[in-house]
Amino acid sequence: MEMFVKQGTWVTKPTEMRDYLFMYERIIPEVLSEYDPDTFYWPASPSSGGSFDEPNDPNRGDVHYWEVWHGNKPFSEYRKYFFRYASEFGFQSFPSVKTLETVTDDPKELNPFSYVMEKHQRNYGGNGKIAKYMQAAYRYPENFSDFVYASQLLQADGIRYGVEHYRRNRGRCMGAIYWQLNDCWPVISWSSIDYYGRWKVLHYYAKRFFAPVMLSCEEQSWMTVEADMNRQHFEFEKSIRLNVTNETLDAHRVLVKWAVRKTDATILREEEQWLEVPALSAVWMDKVELPQIDCFNEYVSYEAWENDQIISQGTVIFSYPKYFHYLNPGLAVRVDGDEIVVRAEAYAKSVEIRNENDDLILEDNYFDMNAGEYRVKILDGKPDGLKVRSVYDI
């Protein structure tokens, strides 16, 4: 049989294609059919079913998508695609400073472009790529710790953008797996848990964007039109469209609340609506255009309530984060038994709680606050020397 190597596949010559097909589409399926006949087998990833038949076809099987990150595309690029199953996509970040301190004794090496940091980078040029994406979203961090924090926020927001989009389009999109969970060495990588088991921002975000019942917002803003700051007076849409996704086998009746707020969290407009969400479904709410919203000084908060409890929530702004006029939230933190209590005097974005050793594992972290108090349970680690910060501090 004559074989040709298709462009875009991961084999480089006909003999590799032959061996691959023989191993993964003959030997392994035959062994599994004998010893584990009840488990479904899929021959490759990405794949449209086998035989190297358009393995990255968006209409069949599973897809690997890397235009965000390797292709330098903005996060909004995810919304252009409606894959049947997104089985690999990702975005890098730096691990904890405490983790990186284990690979060097020289404080000068704790710099994104130092020899040690670039030798502990899994993707050639990756540190520069993180900085490029960071420039589009955040003000330049004034120290290495803030740089690490901003890099993790970027990673978390990038993957959140993709997963929420796929989940909102449930029925067409039936699954998402981000690359990757953890690391085999202390490295700057795509992981959401670093080599020492420290949770990055992404891992806390994943708990929220993979929640069985999730409220998310498809906003239109500067971020979705790739605003050109050399053309200051461009027109762009400012709107929200909320969606509740239910991955459980039961129907849920949720109360969705949303509000336009000033940076001090004062409510300017507030609306709510009950929503019936059938099992295994995603339900859209009507788009709400907000042409008069002040991109620099106002934001939208949204919450899903069930049984008098908030089960999913978030906030959205309409400018780049680096231009938003955050007020100093005056964050304060205290310990109350097995809980940590954070207090904010104004809107606080991506509130981080950490201890001296940066090894706390909390019920929630890197959350948004509309002023007031927020309690989180301590799951592991000691609340010694607690520190707290938000995007305001970048």
Side-chain angles (χ1 to χ4, degrees):
M1 180 176 65
E2 187 175 8
M3 288 186 177
F4 299 92
V5 177
K6 287 189 175 184
Q7 290 186 345
T9 61
W10 50 93
V11 297
T12 58
K13 51 190 177 182
T15 54
E16 288 182 349
M17 179 178 283
R18 176 202 64 200
D19 293 344
Y20 192 97
L21 292 172
F22 189 67
M23 174 67 73
Y24 291 97
E25 298 188 21
R26 181 173 174 180
I27 294 177
I28 293 177
E30 288 179 354
V31 172
L32 290 175
S33 67
E34 179 178 355
Y35 292 100
D36 192 10
D38 296 328
T39 300
F40 179 79
Y41 175 73
W42 191 246
S45 182
S47 176
S48 294
S51 301
F52 291 93
D53 176 22
E54 302 299 335
N56 236 13
D57 187 341
N59 298 310
R60 297 179 292 159
D62 67 299
V63 166
H64 293 187
Y65 179 74
W66 285 99
E67 286 304 301
V68 177
W69 182 255
H70 289 301
N72 297 312
K73 297 292 187 180
F75 299 159
S76 57
E77 195 76 4
Y78 284 118
R79 294 184 182 173
K80 296 180 180 179
Y81 300 94
F82 300 85
F83 305 125
R84 300 292 287 131
Y85 199 107
S87 60
E88 187 184 296
F89 58 104
F91 195 93
Q92 278 199 352
S93 72
F94 281 64
S96 163
V97 175
K98 287 293 184 182
T99 291
L100 292 172
E101 286 175 346
T102 67
V103 305
T104 179
D105 295 324
D106 185 353
K108 290 184 178 180
E109 288 294 328
L110 295 177
N111 182 292
F113 305 118
S114 72
Y115 175 79
V116 172
M117 290 304 104
E118 293 198 333
K119 290 297 286 185
H120 285 78
Q121 164 56 252
R122 183 62 183 85
N123 180 194
Y124 178 74
N127 292 358
K129 191 182 291 289
I130 290 171
K132 177 183 181 297
Y133 273 97
M134 191 179 297
Q135 173 272 329
Y138 294 110
R139 289 156 38 113
Y140 190 77
E142 296 181 358
N143 57 69
F144 186 62
S145 177
D146 285 347
F147 185 95
V148 169
Y149 172 54
S151 82
Q152 291 195 17
L153 293 180
L154 277 173
Q155 178 193 37
D157 268 325
I159 302 304
R160 175 189 63 81
Y161 229 84
V163 173
E164 288 184 350
H165 166 69
Y166 299 138
R167 290 195 64 184
R168 284 192 291 262
N169 291 279
R170 194 191 194 285
R172 165 67 191 188
C173 302
M174 296 302 291
I177 304 174
Y178 67 77
W179 181 271
Q180 66 197 70
L181 177 63
N182 55 9
D183 291 320
C184 62
W185 63 307
V187 65
I188 300 150
S189 79
W190 300 272
S191 71
S192 62
I193 300 177
D194 77 20
Y195 176 71
Y196 290 104
R198 293 184 171 102
W199 288 23
K200 296 182 180 180
V201 180
L202 173 56
H203 212 67
Y204 285 100
Y205 271 43
K207 184 178 179 181
R208 294 196 284 268
F209 61 61
F210 281 136
V213 180
M214 178 195 67
L215 172 66
S216 66
C217 179
E218 184 180 87
E219 85 293 347
Q220 299 297 328
S221 67
W222 282 15
M223 292 285 282
T224 59
V225 296
E226 300 178 57
D228 181 354
M229 294 316 300
N230 289 325
R231 303 181 60 140
Q232 178 64 41
H233 301 292
F234 54 85
E235 296 286 335
F236 68 98
E237 180 181 319
K238 292 172 282 187
S239 67
I240 62 170
R241 194 180 180 202
L242 298 171
N243 179 287
V244 178
T245 304
N246 177 12
E247 288 295 336
T248 75
L249 299 177
D250 301 307
H252 286 258
R253 186 170 187 262
V254 299
L255 177 62
V256 176
K257 300 180 181 181
W258 65 270
V260 177
R261 298 174 182 260
K262 295 165 62 176
T263 48
D264 64 1
T266 302
I267 294 175
L268 300 175
R269 174 183 175 183
E270 188 174 25
E271 296 191 19
E272 61 181 51
Q273 178 183 335
W274 284 99
L275 211 60
E276 301 287 343
V277 190
L280 304 175
S281 71
V283 177
W284 285 98
M285 295 175 64
D286 292 337
K287 177 188 282 190
V288 179
E289 296 197 8
L290 301 165
Q292 303 304 317
I293 198 167
D294 182 340
C295 293
F296 300 111
N297 298 290
E298 296 171 4
Y299 69 101
V300 169
S301 65
Y302 50 90
E303 304 165 347
W305 289 72
E306 189 174 33
N307 300 323
D308 296 322
Q309 290 186 330
I310 297 175
I311 60 170
S312 184
Q313 62 184 321
T315 68
V316 64
I317 62 176
F318 298 88
S319 72
Y320 287 120
K322 62 183 177 181
Y323 298 139
F324 193 76
H325 297 165
Y326 293 100
L327 296 178
N328 184 348
L331 293 173
V333 62
R334 72 178 195 274
V335 178
D336 184 8
D338 65 348
E339 293 184 326
I340 294 174
V341 184
V342 182
R343 182 165 185 80
E345 298 172 358
Y347 174 41
K349 183 74 174 172
S350 303
V351 175
E352 176 197 68
I353 307 168
R354 56 196 169 111
N355 64 356
E356 288 178 342
N357 197 41
D358 203 7
D359 61 357
L360 275 179
I361 296 180
L362 304 175
E363 181 183 36
D364 196 11
N365 207 348
Y366 304 97
F367 45 81
D368 300 345
M369 292 184 65
N370 299 312
E373 286 192 349
Y374 188 70
R375 291 175 170 265
V376 295
K377 287 188 177 181
I378 302 168
L379 303 182
D380 196 21
K382 296 180 179 180
D384 299 329
L386 292 178
K387 295 181 180 179
V388 64
R389 63 180 160 183
S390 70
V391 171
Y392 170 81
D393 297 299
I394 298 177

